[in-house]
Amino acid sequence: MAFAGDGEDAGDPVVLEITDTSSAAASGAPSLPCPAPVCVSYLARFDPLPSPTVAVRADRHRLIESSSYFRALLGGSFSESGRAYVQVGCNLEAAVQVLRYLFEPSESFTITPDNFLPLLEGALFLAVEGLLVECERWFRTMCSQTSATIVPLDFIIEVWYFAQEHGVTFVQDICPEYLAQNLAHVISRRSFNKIPYGLLCSTIECPHLTVDSEKQLCEAILYWVSENTKPCERPNPNSVDDHLFLLSKVKICLLPLEFATGTKRHWFDFGSNTVCTILNLLKDSLKTLMDAIADGNMEGYCIRITEYSKNIVLSGCPQITTAFLYISVLPTYLDVSFKRRIVSSYTQVDHQSLILYDELEKSAKTLLFRNVHMVDLSKCPNVHFGAAIDWLKLAFPELRILKALYCLSFQFDDLLYLLLRCPWIDEIDMAIDKSTITPRQSVVSSSSEVLGKLKRNSRKYYISCPSYDRQPNLVFLNISRLTLEGRDDIDDVDLLKISVLKNSLCYINIRNCTLLTDDGISNFLLKCTKIHSMIVSYTSFGNRSIQTLHDMTFNIQELHLGGCKGIDAAAMSQLMGMINNTTFLCLRETSLTDDALCKFFGSSLEYLDVSETVVSMSSLAPVIRRNCNLNCLKTAGCRSLLFERDKVEHISGNKYGDFLQEIGSTCLEDVEMGWGFCPIQIEDLIPSFSKVRNMAVGLGTTLAENVLHSLPVICPFLESLTLRFQVISDRVVRNLLESSVNLQVLCLHYCLGSLTSFIFQAKAPALRILCLQWVTPWITNDDLTILTKNCNLVELSLSGCKLLDSSCQEIIASGWPNLVLLHLEDCGQVTLGGVSSILNCKALEDVLLRHTGRGIRRSIVDDAIRELPLLRKLALDLCDACEEGYDSPSNAEGKMMRSLRMSRCKTLRGSCLELPSEGSSKPVHKDTVVLEWSSTRMTTTIVKERVRPTNRPEKRWSGPARPISLAHLGGWDRRRRRRLELEMSHPADSASTPPAPNAGTPQRGRDKVVIVMGATGAGKSRLAIDLAAHFAGVEVVSADSMQVYRSLDVLTNKVPLHEQKGVPHHLLSVIDPSVEFTCRDFRDYAVPIIQEILDRGGLPVIVGGTNFYIQALVSPFLFDDMAQDMQHSTLNDHRDDIGLTSDDEGGGYERLKEIDPVAAQRIHPNDHRKIKRYLELYATTGALPSNLFQGEAAKKWGRASNSRFNCCFLWVDADLQVLDNYVNQRVDCMMDAGLLDEVCNIYDPNGVYTQGLRQAIGVREFDEFFRLYLTRKESDKDKATSSATMITVHDDQLKSLLDEAVSQLKTNTRRLVRRQRRRLHRLSKDFEWNLHRVDATKAFCCATGNSWNKEVVEPCVDVVKSFLSDGTTCLPSTNASDGIGERELWTQYVCEACDKRVLRGAHEWEQHRQGRSHRKRVQRLKQNKSQMMRPPSESS
């Protein structure tokens, strides 16, 4: 500022009468008297300024010295030069601001965006040179800031227009540079479309143009062009439309493929050219880059990185290779040959790239960008991450965040390498798709193989790494957030390596990491004690991990345990009492109960998900009450929400009202409603729903039509809406599309009501995801055409649209070229002519085509992988194959491909929803082959999917919503009990018992199976495998109660893999050793497997020595009709009802005798499991077990005539002495093969030997030995145990115990052989099973294999051939007796001679009477009695 002080103190004052010429009203206003002059200091007090004239007293000399204008006016030779009163016409505000600048003190006057333009205008008009310099300096300072929030965009635009009008050159230089540096922030401003064309062109051409991605720039230009339709200010002879000149500045080769395809919707030529460019790069990027180097046109392929860049986003660019990364950070002065070496080496990532990296690092030939904090390489399958990590280290020394989502090529070794090379990174996200195998699907078989090509940086990965068990290096103290979601290639060992980050890691996401175990997660958490946020959903996270959390719960802020089935109720209760500081809590699909939730006293929750649990309102309402900041509540699938501690509360009760009142007091943003919201009064919840953005309404909640219609008003910010099983109408859906301006996701699943094509007439420009599942069967191609015009979708899912044909493919491809997900199920004949148009949607990542027309060619998988560069998921159905199947992918490795699902259907007559018409058939999903790729291996899995009809019923109820009556639930138990009583009184009329055919009548129409039975060691498994050499499609189903468990392979004598000879074996090592596996469980597992083998045209061969399993499989249970009702009922639930205390285990038999003495005689007093079952049966149904076992149902149970299959029974037997010798030899071989190691691994001093795998013969027998052996070993330093060490012990006491245990094992095994043989005789005699006995005694005595084939295999082959050829069942030719009568079935015998031993049935009694032990005891008693009867003389 030139002067300080005021003009009235000057020696030569002059009065300036300033008239405002900028006001239009001033020119036509009547003349007014001259205002009284004021000093300059008074000008600041005017607000607003008096208009149109102001008189100001100022110092003449100061004006002349500061302004060329006043120098000429007041000091020149004009007539006004010597006057004391001078009139000036100019912008009044500008003149006043200049005068204030000249005469006010510098500390009281500053330049601001509000007065900048008046000052600049006044400085130009009055020629104040000093003020012009000051304005330029201030404007440069303002625009040199890196944050776009400092300078308003409207101000920049206004200054630009002023500079254009008045020729201010410094503004025309500064504005484009400022916008170029901050364009990433400026784009989001509302006034972006108001930027002048010239300013935008200058900005884009600026060398410092900074954007996060090329997509961001192109998106901004397209938006600007669409908003500005007037002719351009600057003509461009190289373009027909001058606006499109801006698009020529976009580097289209760096655009994401999804965005590029989307531009075809409104900018077809530009989009088509961009897509072609990207696809050409995918075919041969090396040649393209080499040609660009030769032409000196590398700039078009370099990523925009400047000194102002903060983020680099390349997500969704499959055309990007490692060469693109390196050429973007190379200085321009490098010679052409070096650039060619860079491009050639880093396109293919060969050994030469390692030499180039060393050269780049030593010579420092790469540019440094210290402001870059985030790099996103997601969905870039052609980037080699070993070389990319070197690129990050060279160019971005301040990098903090790396994102590499959906990149299978980013292996775990790359992660370790990244930690070594870039230790300054704070956050890493390398998530991929979650597992495609859901827990609800039944896995039939699974296998995996290591991929042939592993893209590894062979030299860099062998950098010495610190030991993960020692104190980590300080360089590993920066990583705080690590996301590994869906990484099913990471195991416990890998997770333990990550624990090197224990001093910095705060957030870990291992959701769907299926290879991790509870022990592995627990060990990891034990080391990383600073973690406060964990996402471990759908992993093996279980009880042990919860124990580990006990010491770190005070830090837990975010915990996601959804789908963790390894947590039992007790552990869940313990956990809930420890996490009271948590803000995000997900317990979906866990064992959460009311008791556990009541132990949670936290008050800082913001997110709560208890969906698919059994919690009720009594425990949930207090949690909601305490957490006033709750903004997300998910309770879908909570069927017990209306219950309180097993007591039903009516929907109008106080508890229900309190629950809704608590919800109404919150302010939710995300809500999932299910059971418990049925009578909802939406008016009461308007305050809590006013900010809802995501809403899902499912089964159990019925919203009235007026409520659904009012949703846009109730939830003005609604972005996502999912409706399941709701009653909807055209009025509702159309209003949602028209009035919900923010609605992006609309999903309608199985909704009722009458919808028409009228709903598609509404425009929904914001809608991006549309899912219509079985709600719009009337959709035609014309409807789709209208829909493409009214909304721009990226995900489309349709089911049950029968009227669509192959023409709709072109409608979908042209209307939504940027689709990333397309699911079409049961949609007419869409693929009848192939899928060529669908493959034109180049951005597709997820495709499902099921029952859409038989026209898909065999090569569809390879074609899809080749044509769709971003394809990750593909699901097909063999019903749609026009060439009887599909070829396996030949080159999916290294691509984006994550999973391939190929479903197979079977044909059913009619369906459960439609009455079958004459000759009609329905294809339904049966099983699916799933191929899953990870970074290291490919897994092939066969899963059995939920069987459901593919067609909806034609007639649907469309009336008003009917609320669920809880009175129906209250009468459920009474009706069930009454039904059982009716069936007991009329057993012959019971619908649950199928009519039995005549015993001698051939059974046709039933599926044929072969069953190989026999005692332990008889050779059953060997025979089953030999049968596979004579019959095609043989698959073995094990029926052994111990081999079904995992572990103890030697002790349970499982067939080794090399001895299976390629024959598929089922139900081997599939059950956890601690789980109780009953006959009913075996039946439920085995029947579906057998049915699948039969559907494949195979021959099921059931093999096993557990005869009760086979009997349960062959014959339906007596209580099949009650299985569903009783499956969740336990004795603990009914102890009070039957008068039994929790610790009265031994009193169960006495209580059963009081309730049903007939049933008590049927079982042994020590058979606690069966006693417990009978008590549960009585407490649940109210019916006496003895009554249920009487009548026709009891007589038919277990009979071959009542079999669910047509069975051929093969009984492999041998002489008892031969079997005894073989058993003894086999036990000795087991000891040599490591039997002791196996038993030692599962040994528990406090273990229970009455359930699970511990029941196996050979576990209990070694209890005393291990108890003493392990006690002795505790004092030794080396506590490692092996079978060799244990067998060769020199301690006499241990040696004696070991010998005794082995002897007892042999004895018990021989007893098992006798029990099995007795049971087989009984099945043949009493249950009328036609067992084809084959004597293998000679085969055991002869060492040659020919004897086995001659004596065993050949006779069995003849029997099976006859069985398969004539189609008759293997039943006895003559009618047998009634078998076991009611009296024998329930008679209990007590042997007084054998210490009142209890025996069941006449058969066991006779066997006992003939036994050697009983006869000796009787003889001894007779001798004692005769001695007591002798006279004294004789006795002496």
Side-chain angles (χ1 to χ4, degrees):
M1 191 173 294
F3 300 98
D6 205 334
E8 65 181 351
D9 298 329
D12 188 8
V14 62
V15 176
L16 300 177
E17 182 183 319
I18 306 173
T19 303
D20 191 2
T21 59
S22 64
S23 174
S27 60
S31 59
L32 299 174
C34 296
V38 297
C39 62
V40 176
S41 60
Y42 286 170
L43 294 177
R45 303 178 185 178
F46 292 125
D47 188 18
L49 290 173
S51 181
T53 304
V54 173
V56 182
R57 185 184 300 111
D59 181 32
R60 181 188 301 270
H61 296 292
R62 293 179 186 177
L63 292 174
I64 293 174
E65 292 177 6
S66 303
S67 169
S68 299
Y69 175 84
F70 286 116
R71 188 179 305 121
L73 179 63
L74 301 179
S77 58
F78 297 100
S79 58
E80 296 89 350
S81 299
R83 296 180 182 179
Y85 196 97
V86 179
Q87 293 181 340
V88 178
C90 66
N91 186 311
L92 178 59
E93 184 182 1
V96 167
Q97 293 294 337
V98 171
L99 292 176
R100 290 184 59 196
Y101 168 79
L102 292 176
F103 293 100
E104 286 186 6
S106 58
E107 61 271 9
S108 62
F109 183 86
T110 57
I111 302 177
T112 65
D114 294 331
N115 64 11
F116 173 75
L117 278 181
L119 280 172
L120 183 59
E121 183 178 355
L124 291 173
F125 183 81
L126 300 177
V128 184
E129 292 84 357
L131 181 56
L132 284 174
V133 174
E134 188 71 15
C135 287
E136 180 178 355
R137 183 193 63 78
W138 177 87
F139 192 64
R140 286 189 183 276
T141 302
M142 286 289 294
C143 293
S144 64
Q145 304 293 334
T146 57
S147 176
T149 59
I150 297 177
V151 184
L153 181 58
D154 292 331
F155 172 71
I156 296 291
I157 296 174
E158 188 178 3
V159 172
W160 173 267
Y161 277 122
F162 178 85
Q164 289 289 98
E165 182 180 354
H166 296 87
V168 184
T169 56
F170 75 86
V171 170
Q172 298 179 28
D173 295 336
I174 296 175
C175 283
E177 186 174 354
Y178 167 78
L179 291 181
Q181 296 174 13
N182 300 279
L183 190 61
H185 299 281
V186 170
I187 288 172
S188 60
R189 303 294 181 81
R190 291 184 176 181
S191 55
F192 175 77
N193 61 320
K194 299 178 181 178
I195 296 178
Y197 174 80
L199 175 58
L200 187 59
C201 286
S202 301
T203 299
I204 295 175
E205 292 176 343
C206 180
H208 296 296
L209 179 64
T210 303
V211 289
D212 292 345
S213 64
E214 206 67 23
K215 171 191 173 182
Q216 191 179 44
L217 174 62
C218 185
E219 200 170 29
I221 292 176
L222 292 176
Y223 169 72
W224 187 94
V225 172
S226 63
E227 294 291 323
N228 293 269
T229 57
K230 295 181 181 180
C232 298
E233 301 171 5
R234 181 179 113 185
N236 178 20
N238 298 324
S239 176
V240 176
D241 187 353
D242 291 334
H243 281 165
L244 295 182
F245 169 75
L246 298 171
L247 292 176
S248 65
K249 300 299 180 181
V250 177
K251 300 179 181 181
I252 59 176
C253 62
L254 301 179
L255 290 175
L257 182 57
E258 176 192 345
F259 176 78
T261 55
T263 58
K264 295 170 63 177
R265 182 177 170 88
H266 299 292
W267 308 87
F268 184 78
D269 293 338
F270 173 77
S272 299
N273 181 39
T274 303
V275 172
C276 289
T277 301
I278 294 174
L279 296 180
N280 289 334
L281 276 174
L282 282 168
K283 293 178 181 178
D284 192 355
S285 62
L286 177 60
K287 181 179 182 302
T288 303
L289 292 179
M290 287 297 189
D291 293 342
I293 293 175
D295 298 338
N297 188 27
M298 285 295 297
E299 183 62 28
Y301 300 92
C302 293
I303 305 167
R304 295 186 192 269
I305 312 177
T306 68
E307 57 181 307
Y308 307 101
S309 297
K310 294 183 178 180
N311 303 320
I312 300 175
V313 180
L314 300 173
S315 177
C317 297
Q319 72 276 16
I320 296 293
T321 64
T322 317
F324 282 82
L325 307 181
Y326 276 87
I327 64 175
S328 302
V329 298
L330 294 177
T332 56
Y333 58 78
L334 291 180
D335 57 74
V336 173
S337 61
F338 188 81
K339 291 181 180 179
R340 293 176 67 89
R341 290 171 57 200
I342 288 286
V343 170
S344 176
S345 299
Y346 282 106
T347 298
Q348 303 176 1
V349 193
D350 54 12
H351 179 71
Q352 186 182 3
S353 62
L354 304 177
I355 302 175
L356 282 175
Y357 171 80
D358 292 338
E359 186 175 346
L360 285 172
E361 188 175 32
K362 293 177 182 178
S363 303
K365 292 184 178 180
T366 57
L367 303 176
L368 291 180
F369 302 94
R370 298 188 179 274
N371 287 326
V372 174
H373 287 176
M374 190 274 287
V375 173
D376 189 349
L377 297 176
S378 303
K379 300 181 185 179
C380 294
N382 292 313
V383 169
H384 186 278
F385 279 92
I389 292 169
D390 293 335
W391 172 69
L392 296 175
K393 180 182 182 299
L394 287 174
F396 311 113
E398 300 295 331
L399 185 67
R400 292 293 176 264
I401 302 174
L402 174 63
K403 296 181 179 181
L405 286 76
Y406 308 112
C407 294
L408 294 180
S409 57
F410 195 173
Q411 303 172 15
F412 182 77
D413 287 339
D414 294 313
L415 174 60
L416 298 180
Y417 186 52
L418 177 63
L419 298 179
L420 290 170
R421 302 294 283 170
C422 306
W424 50 83
I425 290 183
D426 177 72
E427 178 181 345
I428 301 174
D429 190 347
M430 48 186 293
I432 57 176
D433 292 314
K434 64 181 182 181
S435 176
T436 58
I437 307 298
T438 63
R440 296 181 180 180
Q441 292 174 328
S442 176
V443 177
V444 177
S445 63
S446 181
S447 62
S448 63
E449 59 181 87
V450 178
L451 296 178
K453 297 184 295 182
L454 295 180
K455 297 181 179 180
R456 299 182 57 176
N457 192 330
S458 57
R459 193 185 76 167
K460 299 300 179 185
Y461 289 146
Y462 290 98
I463 293 179
S464 60
C465 193
S467 174
Y468 294 103
D469 295 329
R470 301 176 184 174
Q471 185 69 21
N473 194 300
L474 292 178
V475 299
F476 293 104
L477 297 180
N478 290 322
I479 305 294
S480 62
R481 294 176 63 90
L482 181 60
T483 301
L484 305 172
E485 181 173 346
R487 286 278 174 177
D488 51 6
D489 53 347
I490 294 179
D491 56 19
D492 291 348
V493 177
D494 297 332
L495 195 63
L496 191 61
K497 293 179 181 179
I498 300 174
S499 64
V500 72
L501 308 172
K502 61 183 179 181
N503 290 333
S504 61
L505 192 63
C506 300
Y507 172 97
I508 183 70
N509 183 346
I510 52 174
R511 175 187 171 97
N512 276 296
C513 292
T514 55
L515 291 185
L516 299 179
T517 66
D518 189 23
D519 291 342
I521 298 174
S522 175
N523 294 333
F524 172 75
L525 295 178
L526 200 60
K527 292 177 178 283
C528 301
T529 57
K530 292 189 176 181
I531 290 179
H532 58 66
S533 298
M534 293 187 301
I535 290 87
V536 294
S537 300
Y538 301 100
T539 63
S540 297
F541 184 96
N543 297 344
R544 182 174 177 184
S545 297
I546 290 179
Q547 288 297 118
T548 305
L549 282 178
H550 186 272
D551 298 330
M552 51 184 296
T553 50
F554 61 92
N555 287 326
I556 298 299
Q557 300 175 9
E558 183 175 359
L559 183 61
H560 294 251
L561 301 178
C564 293
K565 302 298 185 181
I567 307 175
D568 59 27
M572 182 62 70
S573 297
Q574 180 186 8
L575 175 66
M576 297 306 294
M578 302 187 301
I579 55 174
N580 293 323
N581 295 325
T582 303
T583 56
F584 293 83
L585 184 59
C586 175
L587 301 172
R588 175 187 292 261
E589 300 178 29
T590 62
S591 59
L592 181 68
T593 61
D594 279 348
D595 292 336
L597 191 57
C598 286
K599 295 183 179 180
F600 178 78
F601 296 102
S603 59
S604 57
L605 275 181
E606 299 177 9
Y607 179 102
L608 178 61
D609 186 353
V610 294
S611 302
E612 305 294 340
T613 62
V614 295
V615 297
S616 71
M617 65 182 69
S618 60
S619 61
L620 186 58
V623 174
I624 299 174
R625 184 187 308 118
R626 288 192 301 268
N627 294 272
C628 56
N629 295 323
L630 191 67
N631 54 44
C632 175
L633 178 63
K634 299 183 179 182
T635 62
C638 294
R639 295 178 177 269
S640 301
L641 203 59
L642 299 180
F643 291 74
E644 180 189 10
R645 311 280 183 166
D646 298 330
K647 297 180 181 179
V648 180
E649 289 285 343
H650 194 266
I651 57 178
S652 61
N654 293 330
K655 292 292 183 183
Y656 192 89
D658 293 344
F659 175 64
L660 291 183
Q661 184 178 0
E662 300 301 339
I663 297 177
S665 63
T666 61
C667 189
L668 299 174
E669 295 182 7
D670 192 346
V671 60
E672 285 189 13
M673 299 184 292
W675 300 93
F677 292 82
C678 185
I680 193 170
Q681 296 294 327
I682 204 67
E683 295 81 3
D684 300 333
L685 299 183
I686 286 179
S688 62
F689 280 23
S690 60
K691 294 185 179 180
V692 166
R693 297 182 181 274
N694 304 307
M695 177 184 291
V697 184
L699 189 63
T701 295
T702 303
L703 296 183
E705 183 179 2
N706 64 321
V707 175
L708 292 172
H709 187 268
S710 303
L711 278 181
V713 178
I714 299 169
C715 310
F717 303 104
L718 190 63
E719 297 177 358
S720 174
L721 177 64
T722 301
L723 300 177
R724 293 184 175 89
F725 302 99
Q726 301 298 303
V727 180
I728 57 178
S729 63
D730 282 353
R731 175 172 171 264
V732 169
V733 178
R734 188 178 176 99
N735 184 63
L736 284 170
L737 295 176
E738 290 179 339
S739 303
S740 297
V741 294
N742 299 314
L743 189 64
Q744 299 179 20
V745 180
L746 178 61
C747 299
L748 305 177
H749 301 268
Y750 304 99
C751 290
L752 306 176
S754 55
L755 295 180
T756 67
S757 59
F758 182 69
I759 62 174
F760 294 148
Q761 303 294 332
K763 289 187 177 294
L767 192 65
R768 293 294 177 267
I769 299 175
L770 179 63
C771 180
L772 302 175
Q773 298 289 330
W774 306 101
V775 293
T776 52
W778 40 262
I779 283 185
T780 63
N781 294 349
D782 294 337
D783 296 326
L784 275 183
T785 302
I786 297 173
L787 191 59
T788 58
K789 297 177 181 178
N790 292 331
C791 56
N792 184 15
L793 300 179
V794 295
E795 294 186 13
L796 175 65
S797 180
L798 299 176
S799 296
C801 302
K802 293 288 191 178
L803 303 181
L804 296 178
D805 57 31
S806 57
S807 300
C808 77
Q809 285 192 42
E810 180 59 32
I811 298 173
I812 293 173
S814 59
W816 300 303
N818 57 329
L819 277 180
V820 298
L821 181 145
L822 179 62
H823 286 187
L824 300 176
E825 184 173 3
D826 215 0
C827 288
Q829 303 297 323
V830 174
T831 58
L832 188 61
V835 294
S836 57
S837 296
I838 292 179
L839 297 182
N840 288 332
C841 297
K842 299 298 182 181
L844 277 172
E845 300 178 16
D846 189 342
V847 179
L848 182 147
L849 300 173
R850 282 183 175 175
H851 303 152
T852 53
R854 190 181 295 272
I856 303 180
R857 302 180 62 84
R858 296 189 63 93
S859 59
I860 175 61
V861 179
D862 282 330
D863 294 343
I865 294 175
R866 182 181 63 254
E867 297 295 330
L868 306 176
L870 295 176
L871 185 64
R872 293 183 289 115
K873 297 181 180 180
L874 178 62
L876 303 170
D877 197 298
L878 293 177
C879 294
D880 302 322
C882 64
E883 299 173 348
E884 298 183 355
Y886 306 116
D887 294 331
S888 299
S890 59
N891 189 26
E893 181 181 342
K895 306 295 183 181
M896 287 285 293
M897 200 65 182
R898 169 66 170 151
S899 69
L900 170 64
R901 304 174 69 93
M902 290 184 287
S903 299
R904 185 167 61 96
C905 298
K906 66 178 181 180
T907 300
L908 294 182
R909 293 286 178 179
S911 71
C912 60
L913 296 179
E914 294 182 321
L915 293 176
S917 58
E918 184 67 21
S920 64
S921 61
K922 302 288 185 182
V924 295
H925 298 314
K926 182 178 181 298
D927 53 23
T928 299
V929 178
V930 183
L931 278 68
E932 288 185 288
W933 287 266
S934 67
S935 62
T936 57
R937 63 180 57 246
M938 183 188 74
T939 303
T940 304
T941 307
I942 300 178
V943 298
K944 181 180 179 182
E945 294 192 292
R946 177 174 61 91
V947 177
R948 62 173 175 82
T950 61
N951 294 321
R952 295 275 292 173
E954 296 297 331
K955 184 177 181 180
R956 298 182 296 174
W957 175 68
S958 59
R962 293 177 291 188
I964 299 174
S965 174
L966 295 183
H968 294 177
L969 294 177
W972 180 53
D973 290 326
R974 293 191 298 273
R975 293 199 309 273
R976 183 178 58 184
R977 184 175 300 180
R978 178 59 180 163
R979 182 189 61 176
L980 291 174
E981 293 173 355
L982 291 175
E983 291 179 359
M984 287 186 292
S985 60
H986 303 284
D989 299 333
S990 176
S992 63
T993 305
N998 296 330
T1001 305
Q1003 300 300 303
R1004 302 192 181 275
R1006 290 188 296 170
D1007 296 319
K1008 296 183 178 182
V1009 298
V1010 176
I1011 299 178
V1012 180
M1013 309 175 71
T1016 297
K1020 302 181 294 297
S1021 299
R1022 180 181 179 183
L1023 173 60
I1025 295 173
D1026 289 340
L1027 289 177
H1030 297 82
F1031 302 97
V1034 167
E1035 296 188 35
V1036 176
V1037 180
S1038 173
D1040 191 291
S1041 61
M1042 295 296 111
Q1043 290 184 359
V1044 73
Y1045 292 106
R1046 292 190 289 270
S1047 185
L1048 295 187
D1049 294 353
V1050 174
L1051 180 62
T1052 58
N1053 198 34
K1054 295 175 186 175
V1055 182
L1057 186 63
H1058 66 276
E1059 293 182 10
Q1060 294 179 9
K1061 299 180 180 180
V1063 180
H1065 280 63
H1066 303 275
L1067 292 183
L1068 287 178
S1069 301
V1070 295
I1071 303 299
D1072 187 88
S1074 62
V1075 175
E1076 185 69 15
F1077 195 75
T1078 64
C1079 297
R1080 185 182 302 277
D1081 295 328
F1082 171 76
R1083 187 273 315 268
D1084 294 340
Y1085 271 77
V1087 169
I1089 294 176
I1090 294 172
Q1091 193 60 52
E1092 290 163 3
I1093 297 173
L1094 293 168
D1095 292 342
R1096 289 194 289 267
L1099 177 62
V1101 178
I1102 293 89
V1103 179
T1106 307
N1107 298 320
F1108 281 108
Y1109 275 19
I1110 296 176
Q1111 195 169 3
L1113 174 67
V1114 170
S1115 181
F1117 278 98
L1118 284 175
F1119 308 126
D1120 270 354
D1121 55 333
M1122 292 176 283
Q1124 187 67 26
D1125 298 339
M1126 296 176 58
Q1127 63 180 354
H1128 299 299
S1129 178
T1130 64
L1131 182 60
N1132 293 328
D1133 299 330
H1134 305 283
R1135 286 185 180 272
D1136 295 336
D1137 298 336
I1138 62 177
L1140 194 64
T1141 60
S1142 58
D1143 54 352
D1144 190 12
E1145 188 70 29
Y1149 183 75
E1150 297 300 325
R1151 181 56 181 155
L1152 181 61
K1153 288 175 63 177
E1154 296 176 7
I1155 296 173
D1156 190 353
V1158 180
Q1161 291 183 357
R1162 172 70 174 86
I1163 57 179
H1164 196 280
N1166 295 334
D1167 194 347
H1168 299 296
R1169 183 167 58 180
K1170 189 165 290 185
I1171 294 171
K1172 178 182 176 182
R1173 179 65 174 164
Y1174 282 169
L1175 290 176
E1176 290 175 354
L1177 180 63
Y1178 173 77
T1180 306
T1181 65
L1184 296 179
S1186 58
N1187 290 342
L1188 295 175
F1189 276 94
Q1190 302 300 322
E1192 294 297 325
K1195 290 183 179 180
K1196 294 177 181 178
W1197 182 77
R1199 309 293 180 114
S1201 60
N1202 198 34
S1203 172
R1204 61 166 50 89
F1205 298 111
N1206 189 4
C1207 304
C1208 175
F1209 298 101
L1210 302 178
W1211 177 9
V1212 184
D1213 197 15
D1215 183 75
L1216 188 59
Q1217 185 177 358
V1218 173
L1219 288 177
D1220 288 344
N1221 294 334
Y1222 178 79
V1223 164
N1224 294 336
Q1225 295 175 7
R1226 194 170 76 170
V1227 170
D1228 294 335
C1229 294
M1230 288 179 177
M1231 295 295 295
D1232 297 335
L1235 182 148
L1236 283 180
D1237 288 336
E1238 288 188 340
V1239 179
C1240 184
N1241 289 335
I1242 70 166
Y1243 174 72
D1244 184 359
N1246 301 319
V1248 180
Y1249 295 103
T1250 58
Q1251 64 180 12
L1253 186 57
R1254 297 182 188 276
Q1255 301 175 90
I1257 295 176
V1259 178
R1260 185 199 302 260
E1261 287 78 359
F1262 291 94
D1263 180 83
E1264 293 184 12
F1265 168 76
F1266 281 118
R1267 195 176 298 274
L1268 179 61
Y1269 180 81
L1270 296 179
T1271 303
R1272 300 275 179 90
K1273 293 294 292 183
E1274 286 181 358
S1275 59
D1276 300 339
K1277 295 182 180 180
D1278 183 14
K1279 297 185 179 181
T1281 59
S1282 65
S1283 58
T1285 304
M1286 289 182 280
I1287 292 176
T1288 58
V1289 291
H1290 301 290
D1291 190 303
D1292 293 338
Q1293 185 178 3
L1294 284 175
K1295 183 67 175 176
S1296 175
L1297 288 176
L1298 180 60
D1299 294 341
E1300 182 180 349
V1302 173
S1303 176
Q1304 189 64 38
L1305 171 58
K1306 294 178 180 179
T1307 301
N1308 291 341
T1309 306
R1310 293 194 299 268
R1311 289 175 179 173
L1312 174 63
V1313 170
R1314 284 156 175 78
R1315 290 197 303 270
Q1316 290 172 328
R1317 297 178 84 237
R1318 286 198 301 267
R1319 182 66 183 174
L1320 289 170
H1321 281 292
R1322 189 182 180 202
L1323 290 174
S1324 177
K1325 177 183 177 182
D1326 297 333
F1327 289 88
E1328 306 172 9
W1329 286 24
N1330 187 19
L1331 304 181
H1332 296 270
R1333 184 178 179 276
V1334 179
D1335 193 349
T1337 302
K1338 293 183 180 180
F1340 277 92
C1341 297
C1342 184
T1344 62
N1346 293 332
S1347 177
W1348 171 263
N1349 291 330
K1350 180 179 179 181
E1351 300 294 334
V1352 180
V1353 178
E1354 293 179 0
C1356 290
V1357 169
D1358 294 338
V1359 172
V1360 175
K1361 284 183 178 179
S1362 176
F1363 167 71
L1364 296 177
S1365 61
D1366 59 18
T1368 59
T1369 185
C1370 296
L1371 296 176
S1373 57
T1374 59
N1375 293 332
S1377 62
D1378 290 341
I1380 303 175
E1382 291 183 6
R1383 179 180 177 280
E1384 288 187 332
L1385 182 64
W1386 292 101
T1387 301
Q1388 179 172 286
Y1389 298 85
V1390 179
C1391 182
E1392 299 291 343
C1394 299
D1395 299 330
K1396 296 185 179 182
R1397 182 178 177 181
V1398 179
L1399 301 128
R1400 298 172 297 173
H1403 178 74
E1404 287 191 12
W1405 172 243
E1406 289 298 325
Q1407 292 289 331
H1408 176 73
R1409 286 182 56 192
Q1410 297 174 10
R1412 182 184 305 174
S1413 176
H1414 173 76
R1415 286 188 278 109
K1416 284 185 176 181
R1417 280 179 173 269
V1418 172
Q1419 185 178 3
R1420 190 181 305 114
L1421 288 174
K1422 289 181 179 180
Q1423 292 176 356
N1424 294 338
K1425 185 176 180 180
S1426 63
Q1427 291 179 1
M1428 293 177 62
M1429 300 276 302
R1430 291 178 183 177
S1433 59
E1434 294 182 9
S1435 62
S1436 62

